């Protein structure tokens, strides 16, 4: 299996609103296994409350900026999770539909980076033709959000 990374940012978050920052569209021929996620926040306001980070699966795609996954081994073929505004995308302006929350994390937004690596025995595996996303909700508006989603297909 090959390992790919979808990079995103810098992005902005609307206050108190669920914002899907990256969406992965699994292909019709292969499942995807998430390995890790990194999200960097650059707020300097100590009064800013923490953010909620959710791993989601949706039945309907959101709409965002097309993102092409990057192979971690440069000799690997192009990813089957192809980029597209309603496929693998970042900075979604239209949220995915019929969402199921798989996992929820909390983190600070004051100059921090969330690095979450799933244990090999607990890596989420998603079916073919699915939409997987990382959704962030912060009480205050945020900007300068950067990071990546690491997965195997």
């Amino acid at each position: 299996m090959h390992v790919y990374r979808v990079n995103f940012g810098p992005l902005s978050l609307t206050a108190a609103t669920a914002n899907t920052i990256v969406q992965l569209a699994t292909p019709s021929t292969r499942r995807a296994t998430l390995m890790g996620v990194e999200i960097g926040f650059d707020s300097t306001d100590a009064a800013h409350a923490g953010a909620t980070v959710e791993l989601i699966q949706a039945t309907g795609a959101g709409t965002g900026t097309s993102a092409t996954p990057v192979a971690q081994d440069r000799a690997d073929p192009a990813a089957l999770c192809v980029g597209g505004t309603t496929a693998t995308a970042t900075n979604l302006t239209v949220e995915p539909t019929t969402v199921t929350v798989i996992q929820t994390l909390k983190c600070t937004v004051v100059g921090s980076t969330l690095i979450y690596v799933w244990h090999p025995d607990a890596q989420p595996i998603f079916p073919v033709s699915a939409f997987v996303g990382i959704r962030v909700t912060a009480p205050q508006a945020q900007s300068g959000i950067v990071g990546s989603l690491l997965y195997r297909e």
Side-chain angles (χ1 to χ4, degrees), residues 3-143:
V3 177
Y4 300 91
R5 181 179 305 273
V6 178
N7 298 304
F8 55 84
L11 310 174
S12 296
L13 302 178
T14 303
T17 303
N19 299 265
T20 301
I21 58 176
V22 61
Q23 170 179 271
L24 184 70
T26 63
S28 62
T29 57
R30 187 170 299 164
R31 300 184 307 168
T33 302
L34 296 191
M35 299 171 68
V37 63
E38 303 163 345
I39 306 171
F41 298 90
D42 70 353
S43 175
T44 57
D45 188 338
H48 280 184
T52 300
V53 178
E54 297 171 311
L55 169 61
I56 61 170
Q57 181 175 346
T59 58
T63 302
T65 303
S66 178
T68 301
V70 178
Q72 296 305 279
D73 179 339
R74 307 316 281 163
D76 283 349
L80 296 176
C81 295
V82 297
T85 57
T86 58
T88 298
T90 65
N91 197 25
L92 277 68
T93 54
V94 176
E95 289 294 310
T97 57
T98 315
V99 170
T100 300
V101 176
I102 307 298
Q103 184 175 6
T104 303
L105 304 168
K106 289 286 278 187
C107 67
T108 181
V109 297
V110 181
S112 70
T113 300
L114 168 69
I115 300 174
Y116 192 86
V117 179
W118 282 277
H119 184 279
D121 291 336
Q123 292 174 333
I125 301 171
F126 292 91
V128 299
S129 303
F131 298 99
V132 180
I134 299 295
R135 184 169 70 180
V136 179
T137 306
Q140 296 85 16
Q142 301 293 320
S143 62

